[in-house]
Amino acid sequence: MHHHGSSLILRNALTGLRAGGQLVRWPAWLVLGRDPRPGADALIEHQDRVEGSTPAAGRGEGAGRRVRWLAVQAALGPGVLALTVAMWLTAAVVVGTPLWWRFASAPVVFVPITDTASSLVGALCGVPLVLLAVACGYGLPRWHAAVGRAVLDGPRFRRLTHRVEVLTASRADALEVQAAELRRIERDLHDGAQARLVSAGMLLGLLDIKLDDLPADRRALLAEARSEVGWALQELRDLVHGVYPPILADRGLTGGIDSLVERTTRVIGSVTATVEVAGRLPAALESTVYFVVAEALANVAKHSAARRAGVVVRAGRERVCVEVHDDGRGGADELRGSGLAGLRRRAAAFDGTLSITSPLGGPTVLRVELPCAS
């Protein structure tokens, strides 16, 4: 039996014995006016720790559901242990057929035993039983845990849990579709309207050169037209950058954050960046991390009066952690419209969390955690 599986089966059996004791005492506690539910809740919490599961809100509500859980644990805990022991004993007996035949003269185990060769055949028949016992050592505790959760959760809770999983997956798909659409809009603006404005500016420049004999007032109008085209081009570039930063497609998240750090360094003097991301993140998540860092650094540059700041981005298997800190004056308040509300909304779109520590006098530490798969 696998060590972890065997210890879990033993602990489940002890939980079953305790559950049986509570189940027997439950009517007496009610007669004596004691509330038996806290004892059951404590045992449920203990079993969650044993199984390594995370309890969800709304589990085990109602006395009837607690009683059913105690009954199931009282039956399954010792029962699974007894079944496991019986399987291993049977496997040991069959595998030890040569010994039994030699020393106890057992005539039959699963095949007729008449000599050493047939006893070895009987021992080989025990190998599948050993494999089955090992598999049960892995599987039975998980099945036990699944039954316990099903009793606690109830059918309505399981339906809600499944619905949440479906909605979470559909939201992730919607975010990816949105990111793809934003990339398409960015490409269309870059290759279409932006290119046309560049061409219009060049044509106006050529026109200015060729028509050097125009009156001063008309040359002023031409210069104003070139200026307006230039401003429109800059606004369009800013719009493209806000829709989906082209640098993410060109240089990835590390390059994008490096560009943000470079721009912020011109304002506050010293900004460091540590980006630990293996490979590319999903497009929607990558752009969200980029904009979180961009907005956080913009807040530092505008409001903190900091001399130094730092950005740390670490992506694990399950979560991406973003931290932006500065040595400014502190006192950042989400209610004062310093951009923190927008950051929180970005994080909430991914089921992420935002926390900020900003005492008066600093330092300020902003931390955002985003799940890798929403």
Side-chain angles (χ1 to χ4, degrees), residues 187-274:
R187 287 194 300 269
D188 290 346
L189 291 174
H190 182 273
D191 300 336
Q194 186 171 326
R196 292 177 188 276
L197 283 175
V198 171
S199 178
M202 294 174 63
L203 290 174
L204 288 173
L206 290 174
L207 188 61
D208 190 16
I209 294 173
K210 290 184 176 296
L211 301 178
D212 56 354
D213 56 346
L214 282 176
D217 57 342
R218 296 184 183 181
R219 293 185 66 83
L221 287 175
L222 189 57
E224 184 178 352
R226 289 183 63 191
S227 176
E228 288 296 326
V229 169
W231 281 112
L233 183 59
Q234 184 58 47
E235 290 178 359
L236 184 59
R237 284 171 177 162
D238 293 340
L239 176 61
V240 168
H241 190 273
V243 169
Y244 186 86
I247 194 170
L248 290 181
D250 297 336
R251 296 171 54 192
L253 184 60
T254 301
I257 291 178
D258 286 342
S259 71
L260 294 174
V261 167
E262 183 179 350
R263 275 188 284 169
T264 310
T265 301
R266 299 171 190 162
V267 179
I268 68 173
S270 175
V271 184
T272 60
T274 301

Side-chain angles (χ1 to χ4, degrees), residues 2 19 36 45 51 87 91 98 121 137 153 160 177 185-186 198 228 237 251 281 292 318 339-340 345:
H2 190 264
E45 184 179 349
E51 296 169 353
M87 291 180 63
V121 173
D153 296 345
L160 290 175
V177 170
I185 293 172
E186 179 268 325
V198 171
E228 288 296 326
R237 284 171 177 162
R251 296 171 54 192
L281 299 174
V292 164
E318 296 182 355
L340 295 176
R345 285 193 294 270

Side-chain angles (χ1 to χ4, degrees), residues 54 75 122 159 167 187 202:
T54 303
R159 287 197 299 270
L167 290 175
R187 287 194 300 269
M202 294 174 63

Side-chain angles (χ1 to χ4, degrees), residues 97-99 101-102 106-107 111-123:
T97 297
L99 295 177
W101 175 74
R102 181 175 294 276
V111 296
I113 307 301
T114 57
D115 53 21
T116 302
S118 59
S119 69
L120 292 175
V121 173

Side-chain angles (χ1 to χ4, degrees), residues 31 51 63 122 130 220 301 351:
V31 172
E51 296 169 353
V130 173
D351 257 354

Side-chain angles (χ1 to χ4, degrees), residues 277-368:
V277 179
R280 297 297 296 265
L281 299 174
L285 179 58
E286 194 171 67
S287 63
T288 298
V289 172
Y290 175 88
F291 283 122
V292 164
V293 174
E295 292 179 28
L297 288 179
N299 287 340
V300 172
K302 291 178 182 177
H303 307 294
S304 71
R307 290 175 296 176
R308 291 186 300 272
V311 178
V312 179
V313 179
R314 290 190 174 93
R317 296 182 60 184
E318 296 182 355
R319 304 189 74 80
V320 178
C321 297
V322 181
E323 184 177 294
V324 180
H325 57 270
D326 66 75
D327 64 351
R329 59 190 170 208
D333 187 354
E334 188 173 344
L335 299 178
R336 291 209 305 260
S338 57
L340 295 176
L343 286 172
R344 189 176 296 279
R345 285 193 294 270
R346 286 191 183 274
F350 269 84
D351 257 354
T353 59
L354 179 147
S355 61
I356 184 168
T357 304
S358 184
L360 287 176
T364 297
V365 179
L366 173 74
R367 184 178 178 86
V368 176

Side-chain angles (χ1 to χ4, degrees), residues 4-18 43 46-47 49-52 73 77-78 81 144:
H4 177 71
S6 62
S7 64
L8 189 55
I9 289 173
L10 288 173
R11 296 173 74 178
N12 287 344
L14 293 176
T15 299
L17 293 176
R18 292 173 61 187
L43 191 57
H46 167 76
Q47 188 63 14
R49 291 195 300 269
V50 168
E51 296 169 353
Q73 293 297 324
L81 176 62
H144 185 170

